[in-house]
Amino acid sequence: IMLIANPKSGTQGEDPITEVRQRWPTVEVRTASSGENTQEQASAAIDEGFDRLLVAGGDGTLNAVVQGIAKRPSAIELG
């Protein structure tokens, strides 16, 4: 499982990325730094063999992830 998280989206002094890493250490966590970077990371999830891709962020983050996987043949699950 890979999680792509936008650390600037919706946080109010919390650190959700650290919490995910502590609770689920087997989840690969990557941070979104731009739309293009997010698309590249989503596409890389397919190349690296991940079967599930989770997204934490706003609609822009989700859109970038969808754009990154939309043209790729894959059975990756998106959540």
Side-chain angles (χ1 to χ4, degrees):
I1 299 172
M2 178 190 285
L3 168 67
I4 298 177
N6 183 341
K8 297 179 182 177
S9 179
T11 58
Q12 299 174 1
E14 305 163 2
D15 187 3
I17 294 171
T18 298
E19 184 175 346
V20 167
R21 286 183 171 144
Q22 290 174 346
R23 294 178 105 183
W24 299 287
T26 60
V27 173
E28 174 75 23
V29 179
R30 308 235 176 128
T31 56
S33 60
S34 70
E36 183 177 332
N37 169 266
T38 303
Q39 288 181 25
E40 291 169 357
Q41 290 185 67
S43 183
I46 295 169
D47 294 338
E48 295 173 28
F50 287 94
D51 59 347
R52 292 188 181 115
L53 181 56
L54 306 177
V55 183
D59 57 345
T61 306
L62 179 58
N63 182 55
V65 167
V66 170
Q67 294 300 315
I69 64 173
K71 297 178 183 174
R72 303 285 311 272
S74 171
I76 197 165
E77 294 179 16
L78 184 59

